[in-house]
Amino acid sequence: MDASETSASMKHLFCFLPLFFSHQMHSLYIQANTLNHWSSFQLKYEVALKHKDKIKIVTPDWVSDSIEKREKQDETIYHPRLVFIPKPPSPLKPEPEPMEVSSPATVEMQHLQLPSSMTERRPSTESNESGGSRPDTPSAKEALARLVTNRIHVQKGPNSHSPKSPVTPQFPGIPPNLQQMSPAPQGIGPGFPAHELPKPIQGPSTPGRSTLRNITNTEPAHQKSSPYTKPGSNKKTNQLLGLQGQAPRQPPPPYNSPQIGSTFPLAQQQPETPAPPVYCGHDQSDSVPPDICLLGCVFYITDYQKIVGPEQIAIWKQVIEQYGGQVDQSYSNRVTHLLCANQHSDVFQLALKDQRRVVTAFWLNDVLLRKKMLPPWQSLHIPLIYGEEKPCSNQVISVTNFENDERTRVKQMIHAIGARYTGYMTRSNTALVCKKPEGVKYQKAKEWRIAVVNVQWLSDMVLGYTDALRLPVNRRYLQVGHGDEFQMDLTKIPHLIYAWKTPLKITKDAWKRYMPNLKSRPHNLGKDHHPSAAKKPRMDEIKENKGSGPHVLFTGFPRGLTKHLQMIVTSLGGTVVENPRNCSHLVAPGISRTMKFFVAINVCHYVMDKQWLENSMQQNRFIDETNYLLRDPKSEADINCSMVRSLAKARQHPLFQGLTFYFTPGVTPPPCDLRIIVESAGGTVARKRRLGVKTIASQKDEKGNPTYLVITCAEDIQLCKDLILNKIAIYNPELILTGVLRQELDFTQFQLEIQ
C-alpha cells in the first residue's frame, strides 16, 4: 500500500471518529494521547516510543473494533509490534513482471473472490505474543492480492480474454434495482439509535444523506476520484489479460439518482404533457347560494368522537344542517363526504374504495368561512397519514413573519407532524418556518446555521412526504416569500383527491327542501317554461306581502327549529319574511356572520331571542320585546360592540350614507353580496370603472375621511398598484362587515398595509 492509498484510507478511518466517539474528541484531538499507526517504520512511531507514558500507539483495528463493540478497547493488544506479518509467496516463474492491483473493477473482483479462510483474522489462540487479535497489515493485503491475481491468470479459460463489467456488490435489505441509487447515510440524525444504522456504503457517486437535525444548509463535497486508482494501471491490466492489441471496453457511466424536485433535460421529456386534472365541488350548472353552500352534501363523521367529544359533534351537526348539509349516523351509499382525522380506520379505507370525498374538520371550517364548497387546497384538509408515531417528534420548530390566521394554521401543521412549537428561538431549535427573509429570528437562524424553510416544507411533511427531511434541503423548501405557500401539491395525493374529479349534482328534492320559495332550478326547466323563471331572485328582489303584525326573519337556526318558529309566527298573526330589508324583527340564537344578519341589522327594529316567540305562544299573542332582546356577551366582547347601541345608531343615521364603494373581483364575500349590505346601510356601489388616482384622493369629507373607498384583498393587490404608489388607503372587506355590526367605521384598523 503506497502513500496515496494510506492517506485515503486514513481519511475514511477518521470519518468514523466524530460519529461514534464525540464524547472522547477532547482526548483524541487535544491531548493527543493515542497514536493511530499503520506500521512501525515511520518517524512518528519512533518519536511516540520516547513518550510511552503519555502516548498510546495502536493500529487502525483498535478504532474499528471499538466502533463494532461500541466501547473503548484495551490499547495494549493493538500495539504495532504485535502484528504478525506473513512473508509473501515468491512470484511464479512464467510471470514476466510482478502483478499489480490496477483498476477499481479488478479490486472489487478480487475482494469478492477471496476465500473466507484467507480473509479471516488469525484467532487469538494462535497469537504467540499478545494473546489478542492481530490485524491485517498492508504487506499482508498486498501479498493476498498478488496471490489471487496469479490464480486468476493461471486458470484463464477460453472466454477469459473478454473484459468483464464491474461487479456490483449486493447489500442486504435493498432491492436490486435500487442498490445503485440508494443514498448512503453518512451521519446520525436525531431520533435514530446508533445500533440500528446500517454500515456506511462508500461510493464515488453516492451523495451523503442525514436528517434535519444536523442541517447546515451546505452540501457535502463529493469524492473526485477513487483512492485505489493509479496512473497507467489500465495499461498494465490489459497486458496481464492479453489485451495489448485491443482497445479496452469503457465501463458504463454511473447512474446518478435524481434528487427530489430535480427535472430531467428537455430532450428526455415527452413532447406532449397531459393536461392536469380538474377538481370541482358542486356542478357548475348549480348556482348554490352561500347560505346553503353544503347543499347536497351527506356527511359521516368518524375519529372525532374521541378527539372532541359527542357535545362538539352535535354542534357540528347543527352547523352542517344550517348550511344545507346532512349528517348520517352510519356509513352508507348515500354518504358523499367522510369527515375523519386520519387514514387508519376501516371506514376510511371503505370510503376510499367507494370514491367518496375524504376531508377533515379543517376543511369544513374553511369552506364555511368562504361559503363555497371547494376541493381541498391545504394539507390539513386531508386526513393525516401518521398514527401515534410521527416523523418529527424530535424537532423543535419556531415561526416568524406570520400573523393571525396564518400563524395559527402553521402551528397546527407543526403539531400535526409531531414537532414541538416554540414562540422563541434558541440554538436548540432545528428549523425556522419563515414567510419573508427578514427579522431577528431569520438573521439568528442564518448565524446559527439553523434550517430556514417555507410553509411548503411543512405542507409536504403533513402529506407524508418524509423525503423533505433529507439533506441537503431541496431548493424549493428554501425559497421563502414566493407565492401561496399554503397551497398543497395535489400530485402527491392523487388517490385521496380522485373523488373530486366528479362534480356533486344537487337533486330536485334537495332544492325543494331548502328553497321552498324557489319553484324550479335551471337544469329542471321544461320547454314550456319562460326563461325568466330560471333566474334565481336576488335577496333584495324578493317581494313579500305586507300583512299586519310583526315581519319576522330567522337566521342561524337548524332547519327543523326554523319551521317550528315560523309556525308560531303564523299562528299569532305575524308574517314570516325571507328578504332582510322587509323585516321588523330579526330572531337569531346569537350574533352570526350571515347575509341576513348583516342586512337586517341596518333596517330592523329589534333583534330578538327565540324565547320571545315561545312565551308569546303561551300567551297566544305577541308580548313586549323589551325583556327578550338578543344578548350575546361573548360575541359582543370579541367584536367590541353592543347590539342595543348598534340598533339605535342604525335608526338614527344610515352608516354608509354619502359613501361610495368600489370592489375588486377577488374579494370575499363576493361583490354582489357586499353590494346588498352596503345599499341596505345607505351606501352606493360603483358599477363602472374605478376612478383615477387624483379623483379618489380629492374625495374627502369635512373630517378628512375618504368618501370613495376601495375594497380589495391580497390576491388583487396588483390591481391597486397605482393607489399604493400614491399612498392612497385601500381597505379589506371587514371595514364593511365589522362596521355594520358596530355601526361605526374604523379607517385605521381595516386598512391594508402594503410594504
Side-chain angles (χ1 to χ4, degrees):
M1 183 177 296
D2 59 9
S4 62
E5 294 178 350
T6 302
S7 177
S9 300
M10 288 292 290
K11 292 180 180 178
H12 288 292
L13 178 64
F14 279 94
C15 288
F16 291 91
L17 296 179
L19 296 177
F20 295 88
F21 293 96
S22 58
H23 62 285
Q24 298 179 1
M25 291 296 290
H26 182 75
S27 61
L28 286 176
Y29 292 106
I30 298 180
Q31 296 180 2
N33 62 353
T34 303
L35 175 64
N36 199 322
H37 190 56
W38 292 97
S39 64
S40 59
F41 303 102
Q42 295 185 11
L43 180 61
K44 292 182 180 179
Y45 175 78
E46 297 175 357
V47 176
L49 287 177
K50 299 178 181 180
H51 303 279
K52 295 181 180 180
D53 55 335
K54 296 182 179 180
I55 302 177
K56 298 178 181 179
I57 307 174
V58 295
T59 59
D61 277 15
W62 175 77
V63 178
S64 59
D65 290 354
S66 298
I67 293 173
E68 182 179 358
K69 298 179 180 179
R70 308 196 66 80
E71 64 179 0
K72 182 180 176 182
Q73 302 299 310
D74 185 12
E75 296 91 344
T76 306
I77 63 175
Y78 291 88
H79 198 282
R81 69 171 180 269
L82 302 179
V83 175
F84 175 76
I85 305 178
K87 295 183 179 180
S90 59
L92 297 178
K93 296 181 180 180
E95 289 297 328
E97 59 183 40
M99 302 301 293
E100 187 174 1
V101 179
S102 57
S103 63
T106 308
V107 173
E108 288 182 310
M109 181 172 61
Q110 292 171 357
H111 281 287
L112 289 175
Q113 295 180 358
L114 280 177
S116 59
S117 60
M118 298 179 65
T119 58
E120 293 178 355
R121 181 183 300 174
R122 183 181 295 235
S124 59
T125 55
E126 298 180 11
S127 177
N128 53 7
E129 292 183 15
S130 61
S133 62
R134 295 186 178 182
D136 296 333
T137 64
S139 299
K141 293 181 179 178
E142 185 176 359
L144 292 175
R146 290 175 178 172
L147 178 59
V148 173
T149 307
N150 293 339
R151 291 185 178 182
I152 294 175
H153 182 74
V154 172
Q155 297 176 2
K156 285 194 302 182
N159 299 328
S160 61
H161 63 278
S162 302
K164 296 182 180 180
S165 59
V167 179
T168 303
Q170 301 296 322
F171 303 106
I174 303 179
N177 60 334
L178 297 179
Q179 287 182 2
Q180 292 186 357
M181 48 193 302
S182 299
Q186 295 182 355
I188 299 179
F192 296 95
H195 63 276
E196 296 181 2
L197 286 173
K199 295 183 179 180
I201 304 172
Q202 303 295 339
S205 62
T206 306
R209 299 281 188 176
S210 61
T211 58
L212 188 62
R213 184 74 185 185
N214 298 328
I215 185 168
T216 59
N217 288 333
T218 58
E219 296 185 0
H222 296 291
Q223 189 176 353
K224 296 183 178 180
S225 61
S226 173
Y228 301 103
T229 304
K230 299 180 181 180
S233 60
N234 292 332
K235 180 178 179 180
K236 295 182 179 180
T237 304
N238 295 335
Q239 293 176 356
L240 295 176
L241 297 178
L243 301 176
Q244 292 88 343
Q246 301 180 14
R249 181 183 300 175
Q250 297 295 331
Y255 175 78
N256 295 325
S257 59
Q259 299 297 325
I260 301 172
S262 61
T263 57
F264 292 97
L266 294 178
Q268 299 180 3
Q269 294 182 354
Q270 297 295 333
E272 295 182 1
T273 303
V278 178
Y279 305 103
C280 53
H282 283 113
D283 193 285
Q284 294 183 357
S285 61
D286 294 328
S287 181
V288 183
D291 289 343
I292 52 173
C293 59
L294 297 180
L295 186 63
C297 301
V298 181
F299 291 86
Y300 175 69
I301 304 176
T302 185
D303 297 336
Y304 287 106
Q305 287 81 355
K306 297 180 181 179
I307 299 175
V308 299
E311 296 181 357
Q312 190 66 33
I313 297 297
I315 297 176
W316 290 5
K317 183 178 179 181
Q318 293 180 2
V319 174
I320 291 173
E321 293 177 349
Q322 174 185 335
Y323 284 90
Q326 294 177 291
V327 179
D328 281 3
Q329 298 299 323
S330 60
Y331 181 83
S332 62
N333 291 333
R334 68 188 301 267
V335 171
T336 61
H337 293 71
L338 178 66
L339 196 68
C340 56
N342 55 64
Q343 304 179 18
H344 300 280
S345 63
D346 296 336
V347 181
F348 173 84
Q349 302 298 333
L350 181 59
L352 210 61
K353 181 180 179 181
D354 296 341
Q355 296 184 5
R356 298 295 187 264
R357 299 176 175 184
V358 289
V359 292
T360 64
F362 293 102
W363 174 86
L364 179 62
N365 180 74
D366 292 346
V367 164
L368 295 181
L369 290 177
R370 295 196 177 191
K371 293 189 175 181
K372 185 176 181 181
M373 189 184 67
L374 300 171
W377 65 92
Q378 293 187 8
S379 58
L380 286 179
H381 295 170
I382 300 297
L384 290 177
I385 192 174
Y386 308 118
E388 296 181 357
E389 297 182 1
K390 298 182 179 180
C392 296
S393 57
N394 57 347
Q395 303 295 329
V396 182
I397 302 176
S398 185
V399 176
T400 185
N401 296 329
F402 292 94
E403 297 179 355
N404 303 329
D405 294 340
E406 287 187 347
R407 192 177 187 89
T408 303
R409 182 53 52 92
V410 172
K411 291 180 183 178
Q412 293 167 345
M413 296 170 71
I414 292 174
H415 292 308
I417 63 177
R420 183 166 65 91
Y421 166 80
T422 59
Y424 54 87
M425 192 181 73
T426 63
R427 295 180 184 271
S428 61
N429 286 84
T430 58
L432 174 67
V433 182
C434 185
K435 183 178 182 180
K436 295 179 292 186
E438 59 184 34
V440 179
K441 287 185 179 179
Y442 176 80
Q443 298 298 335
K444 286 297 182 181
K446 288 296 184 181
E447 178 184 346
W448 296 338
R449 304 179 70 82
I450 296 175
V452 179
V453 295
N454 53 26
V455 179
Q456 189 64 42
W457 179 83
L458 271 180
S459 179
D460 288 355
M461 286 298 303
V462 173
L463 294 178
Y465 192 70
T466 54
D467 284 349
L469 284 174
R470 292 188 173 181
L471 293 180
V473 180
N474 196 293
R475 287 185 178 180
R476 70 172 181 267
Y477 300 138
L478 302 177
Q479 299 175 358
V480 296
H482 298 282
D484 185 8
E485 299 175 355
F486 286 90
Q487 193 76 20
M488 69 175 173
D489 187 1
L490 298 180
T491 60
K492 291 181 171 61
I493 51 168
H495 61 295
L496 299 178
I497 204 75
Y498 182 83
W500 293 89
K501 290 183 178 181
T502 305
L504 181 64
K505 193 71 175 178
I506 302 177
T507 62
K508 182 178 179 179
D509 294 338
W511 281 116
K512 290 182 178 180
R513 186 184 306 113
Y514 286 94
M515 300 190 69
N517 295 328
L518 194 59
K519 296 183 180 179
S520 60
R521 298 300 302 167
H523 56 276
N524 292 325
L525 290 177
K527 295 182 179 180
D528 299 335
H529 287 80
H530 194 273
S532 61
K535 293 182 64 176
K536 175 192 171 184
R538 296 196 303 265
M539 185 178 293
D540 56 342
E541 292 179 349
I542 299 177
K543 296 182 179 180
E544 296 157 331
N545 297 327
K546 295 184 178 180
S548 59
H551 291 62
V552 184
L553 174 71
F554 297 94
T555 184
F557 293 106
R559 183 171 56 91
L561 181 57
T562 300
K563 289 185 176 181
H564 170 68
L565 297 176
Q566 288 176 347
M567 293 177 58
I568 295 178
V569 173
T570 305
S571 63
L572 295 178
T575 303
V576 177
V577 298
E578 293 295 332
N579 188 345
R581 303 190 69 170
N582 297 333
C583 73
S584 60
H585 293 68
L586 173 65
V587 181
I591 298 177
S592 58
R593 295 171 63 90
T594 64
M595 277 294 297
K596 291 182 179 180
F597 201 100
F598 284 127
V599 175
I601 195 175
N602 296 312
V603 297
C604 71
H605 299 288
Y606 303 98
V607 179
M608 308 297 299
D609 186 84
K610 68 180 181 65
Q611 194 63 35
W612 171 62
L613 291 176
E614 298 286 354
N615 293 351
S616 297
M617 182 65 181
Q618 295 177 1
Q619 300 186 21
N620 201 23
R621 64 180 180 86
F622 288 108
I623 59 179
D624 184 64
E625 299 90 352
T626 306
N627 297 328
Y628 300 96
L629 298 178
L630 178 65
R631 301 185 185 279
D632 190 352
K634 184 178 183 302
S635 298
E636 291 179 353
D638 294 339
I639 303 173
N640 191 20
C641 72
S642 172
M643 194 54 55
V644 176
R645 289 198 300 268
S646 297
L647 288 174
K649 290 180 181 180
R651 288 195 294 267
Q652 291 175 1
H653 179 74
L655 177 63
F656 299 140
Q657 186 173 2
L659 301 179
T660 302
F661 292 84
Y662 174 82
F663 306 120
T664 57
V667 295
T668 304
C672 58
D673 292 344
L674 292 175
R675 181 182 62 82
I676 297 174
I677 299 174
V678 168
E679 291 178 349
S680 68
T684 306
V685 177
R687 298 177 181 267
K688 299 182 179 180
R689 189 175 180 178
R690 196 199 73 198
L691 298 179
V693 175
K694 294 183 179 179
T695 306
I696 296 176
S698 62
Q699 296 191 9
K700 295 184 178 181
D701 59 12
E702 61 277 2
K703 297 181 180 180
N705 296 323
T707 57
Y708 190 96
L709 304 172
V710 177
I711 307 299
T712 185
C713 58
E715 291 76 10
D716 294 342
I717 287 296
Q718 67 275 6
L719 302 177
C720 306
K721 286 184 178 180
D722 55 341
L723 301 178
I724 298 172
L725 294 176
N726 289 274
K727 298 183 179 181
I728 296 178
I730 55 178
Y731 304 91
N732 62 32
E734 286 300 322
L735 177 72
I736 298 174
L737 303 180
T738 306
V740 164
L741 297 177
R742 298 176 180 174
Q743 284 297 310
E744 63 181 26
L745 291 174
D746 191 336
F747 294 100
T748 303
Q749 181 179 359
F750 304 112
Q751 178 180 345
L752 286 177
E753 297 182 0
I754 308 298
Q755 297 180 358

